[in-house]
Structure formats: structure tokens, C-alpha cells
Amino acid sequence: MVRTRRTAGNLSGHSERPSCMKSLTVAVALALVTVSCGNETTDVATPHAPEMMARALVELVTKDHTFGTGPSPFSEYLVLDHVDPAAGDTSGGSGGSTRALTDAERAAIVAALSPLGSVRWIDDPAEWRTGDLQPAVEGAAIVGVGEPVIMGSTGLVPVSLWCGGLCGTWFTYRLDLVDNEWVVIGPEGPVAIS
């Protein structure tokens, strides 16, 4: 698998402020340290996490699915049943800590993805890949979502999609709270595509 790195443009239309990005980076790091130091069975999700995760995954499989424009080519979604430590990780590393998805997160994800195809919860993505690195279920994509990080009315949600040895993507979406609803603005930061 070859991973390439590119940086998404500033999608907000505002000039980037390095000090804000440093603050956001520090907040993300603190959130990851907080999560990794806690008990993995503790529900550390925020009340907004289910909606944010679901919206990010729908955006991923309907618009950023690596097949260009057009509808999602997948008929089944093999969704990690835990926070994906590699979601958004463009370096090819194993990512950070993990925890089981809450019942509310699972329900939101199923409600969002089931109109697009069947949803199956999986634990280990390696068990769902064939020897030639294809998903073990024909027409499926393996998707994961990381821990959302919220700063006021803006949030970041890391995502991952695997559909073959040369078919995958890892990046982070920025979402903004607009009229009490989380809206996906677009990728924020580095993007890895295989």
C-alpha cells in the first residue's frame, strides 16, 4: 500500500491563523491523553459525538469514497465497533487509544448508513481483508471513526475507509454547529490516500 500526503485547502474562506491551529493541536493532544488515561470501558463520548460521527461517516461514504463523483459504490459497510485509533492518521501509524462505541453512537451510525447499504459491526479489520487486501465481503468498505474533538461550535472527527490494497483514505473532517446541527465543512489537515 502506498500512502501519499496532501494538505486540504482552507475550506472556511478565512485566512489560516497559525496560533489557532496550534491551540487546536494542543486541544486534540490533550483530549487524546485524557481518553488514553481513562478506563476503556468508561463512556467518554460527548453528547454531540453520535451526531458528529454519523454525519462524518455519511460524508465519507457518499462524497469522499475515493471513486470520484457519483453515488457510493458500496453495498455494505463493515464498521469498526470501537473508536478507530488509525482514523485520520495519515502517517501509517497505529494511532492513539480506543474505546467501544456507545449505544447512542452505534444507533446514530446505523440510522445514517443503513439507507446506503447494510451495516455490520466488526472488531478487527484485518480479519475482514482477503489475502490480496480486498474486503472479505464483496461490495463492502471497512470504515472507522475516531474520537470527536469539540472546541465551541467547531469539531474535528477523524475517519478511515478501506476498500482494497490501493483503495483507502484517512483524514479528519471539520464540522461546524449551524442552527443546532453539526454540518460537515470538509477535510481539515493532511489527507492520506492509498
Side-chain angles (χ1 to χ4, degrees), residues 50-155:
E51 178 186 1
M52 294 174 76
M53 290 173 156
R55 290 188 188 273
L57 287 176
V58 166
E59 187 80 7
L60 176 66
V61 302
T62 61
K63 296 197 173 78
D64 295 317
H65 48 65
T66 76
F67 284 87
T69 59
S72 176
F74 310 113
S75 56
E76 185 165 355
Y77 300 96
L78 308 174
V79 184
L80 296 183
D81 62 4
H82 55 277
V83 170
D84 182 1
D89 183 359
T90 61
S91 68
S94 62
S97 65
T98 188
R99 65 169 174 81
L101 294 177
T102 66
D103 290 342
E105 290 165 345
R106 284 179 179 233
I109 291 168
V110 168
L113 293 181
S114 60
L116 305 171
S118 60
V119 175
R120 186 184 315 199
W121 297 104
I122 65 170
D123 176 44
D124 183 358
E127 293 178 4
W128 291 90
R129 291 187 191 117
T130 64
D132 60 351
L133 301 178
Q134 299 299 313
V137 177
E138 190 172 337
I142 299 169
V143 295
V145 62
E147 193 72 61
V149 176
I150 302 170
M151 292 183 61
S153 61
T154 296

